[in-house]
Amino acid sequence: MIPYKHEAFTDFSLEENKRKIKEGIQTVEGYMGEEYPLIVGGERITTEDKIVSYNPANKTEVVGSVSKATRDIAEKAMNIADETFKTWSKIKPETRADVLFKAAAIMRRRKFEFSGLLAKEAGKTWVEADVEAAEAIDFLEYYGRQMLKLKEGYPVESRPGEYNQFNYIPLGVAVVISPWNFPFAIMAGTAVAAMVAGNTVLLKPASTTPIVSYKFVEVLEQAGMPAGVVNFIPGSGAEIGDYLVEHPRTRLISFTGSRDVGLGIVEKSAKLSPGQIWIKRTILEMGGKDTIVVDKEADLELAATSIVKSAFGFSGQKCSACSRAVIVEDVYDQVVARVKELTDELTVGVPDHDEHFMGPVIDGSAYKKIMEYIEIGKGEGELLTGGTGDDSQGFFIQPTVFKDVDPQARIMQEEIFGPVLAITSAKDFDHALEIANNTEYGLTGAVISTNRMNIEKAREEFHVGNLYFNRGCTGAIVGYQPFGGFNMSGTDSKAGGPDYIQLHMQAKTTSEML
Ligand code: NAD
């Protein structure tokens, strides 16, 4: 087996790659507007009620529509997943991993098409779409290999005359609920982690981006996944989401999304339903309010570029996005001025035609919420640049920076999930760390410093799940920077990490007298 290595990113300065992404988009244009069924036990089910997916850069363009699962269909899917678990959990881990490796190979061959679909459905720029397609492939390659390692179990001691074993076994039916901001990578990663561990899956993708999820389930089928192992059941979070979270046969819930929905899932899943005989396992990856700290001893150009790229990549719609910069006062004016210059150079435009740094935000309600936060920001700091939006054709918002914002201000504390950056100054490095830690979240953070002692202090005291030094705070790579956050950012279940698969399993000890 070739050792795991992350998928290379595409260089779009090369004409050949520009041609390939345009071809990928053309392929997607060939199936725009199509209708897709639910997939339950391999059966295609069509319902009257549909979820329609629109291109956020061109809001009248329909990417496709999917049938919407009802509670009855969710119940049917649960029964099938429960039944399929009896056979799938007994399939050799090698065979389960092979489905992932084969699917990764298919996805690699169709990478530009998937990138094109992400440009259309999620409004991702070429670069962001390509990075996400690479991440989706990485999850399959990495988790497949992790399962192969795990199948041996861990050695434990045995006394003379005794034979002890310690092995991981699957849990049961996993409900996988995924967000729209990484509709391919997170959706695929969370689904296959549960599946390769021997569980069966009820996959409920976000309603704004269901098409890429359907195409992915088709790939799993082509790769040899038996019917009923991953069931595709898009639907309303409140209707089938709640129903499945509360269902007595649900054994595991793997959720990625907002803080409030995540907390609701913790609460509902903790209540016993009639007939339930286990405590439901939950894996919850939630929001962030991520900070880049700039020390006075630092490469200030690196600081400004890291802040701008982390704040505005994918229009700030990453849970890891830099939405706060805390700059030590000695270098504050200099860094702020450079952040403004770099922000003003960014281009915002339609991602499925040309290369831009930023595309639209995901939909009308995100647009409205972000524009409201920009209004709030005007009362909380000085608007340095941006502040405007245009939703006439798509949901475009200019990259927006506020300076001199109080660390307790709303735009410094609440997750906006858009291209809005708040900057504040700190008296010194210790003060900067104190501000960095003053939110309820703890997902990512970065420190730009050349002072070794300060770096070490931050390593101990900056309380986030993913801490980066002298780089931006986005862009974790599967198998290299396992990803997950502290506090209200979730259960710190490190996606793309060496102990992630185990979270989808339970350990069994056997002891035999010889
Ligand atoms: P969201 O919470 O609105 O939705 C996430 C998923 O939950 C969707 O599939 C949605 O349909 C479903 N859902 C909604 N209500 C539900 C309910 N009552 N029961 C069950 N499921 C329900 O989040 P979103 O807007 O799709 O995604 C953005 C959020 O996700 C941000 O807060 C972001 O920070 C977070 N996020 C976190 C990570 C991470 O790894 N920590 C990664 C990506 C996104």
Side-chain angles (χ1 to χ4, degrees), residues 177-178 180-181 204 206 237 242 255-258 286-287 319 415 417:
I177 302 172
S178 54
W180 54 262
N181 71 330
K204 199 213 85 55
D242 279 353
F255 166 83
T256 313
S258 60
M286 290 142 55
C319 48
E415 189 183 44
F417 224 55

Side-chain angles (χ1 to χ4, degrees), residues 224-440:
M225 176 189 76
V229 173
V230 174
N231 301 278
F232 174 70
I233 47 163
S236 141
E239 193 188 344
I240 66 153
D242 279 353
Y243 180 71
L244 291 172
V245 164
E246 288 166 8
H247 201 289
R249 297 301 300 164
T250 295
R251 182 66 188 83
L252 159 72
I253 299 157
S254 175
F255 166 83
T256 313
S258 60
R259 170 193 182 279
D260 291 353
V261 173
L263 289 179
I265 288 176
V266 178
E267 195 180 335
K268 287 170 204 141
S269 64
K271 292 211 177 93
L272 274 189
S273 297
Q276 184 181 328
I277 56 163
W278 45 58
I279 301 166
K280 288 172 190 164
R281 181 80 61 86
T282 52
I283 297 173
L284 303 156
E285 289 304 316
M286 290 142 55
K289 191 70 190 170
D290 311 298
T291 309
I292 295 185
V293 167
V294 183
D295 197 358
K296 66 178 178 187
E297 294 164 65
D299 176 340
L300 301 187
E301 184 61 18
L302 174 69
T305 51
S306 303
I307 291 169
V308 170
K309 192 162 174 267
S310 305
F312 302 121
F314 189 38
S315 303
Q317 301 172 109
K318 298 180 189 178
C319 48
S320 56
C322 167
S323 52
R324 312 167 6 120
V326 181
I327 303 168
V328 172
E329 62 188 14
D330 313 57
V331 295
Y332 183 76
D333 290 340
Q334 224 176 317
V335 176
V336 168
R338 190 65 186 129
V339 165
K340 175 176 164 32
E341 275 172 12
L342 292 171
T343 305
D344 289 342
E345 284 169 16
L346 301 180
T347 58
V348 183
V350 178
D352 50 357
H353 291 129
D354 277 312
E355 201 178 353
H356 289 286
F357 185 79
M358 278 168 62
V361 300
I362 192 70
D363 62 10
S365 66
Y367 180 88
K368 186 165 167 284
K369 177 181 160 199
I370 297 163
M371 293 307 289
E372 280 168 9
Y373 268 110
I374 289 176
E375 284 312 306
I376 293 168
K378 287 177 185 167
E380 292 185 329
E382 183 185 323
L383 179 66
L384 194 63
T385 187
T388 56
D390 177 359
D391 64 348
S392 52
Q393 216 204 328
F395 304 104
F396 296 97
I397 298 180
Q398 289 300 316
T400 299
V401 183
F402 291 98
K403 69 167 187 169
D404 303 344
V405 186
D406 186 281
Q408 295 299 341
R410 285 186 65 190
I411 61 164
M412 270 278 173
Q413 293 292 327
E414 297 170 19
E415 189 183 44
I416 301 171
F417 224 55
V420 182
L421 168 70
I423 309 182
T424 193
S425 69
K427 289 196 297 288
D428 52 28
F429 190 75
D430 285 357
H431 185 216
L433 282 187
E434 201 183 297
I435 297 172
N437 279 333
N438 82 352
T439 77
E440 62 177 25

Side-chain angles (χ1 to χ4, degrees), residues 59-77:
K59 55 191 190 182
T60 54
E61 185 176 38
V62 174
V63 181
S65 59
V66 293
S67 283
K68 193 171 176 184
T70 57
R71 284 191 179 192
D72 285 350
I73 294 172
E75 179 63 26
K76 176 179 167 138

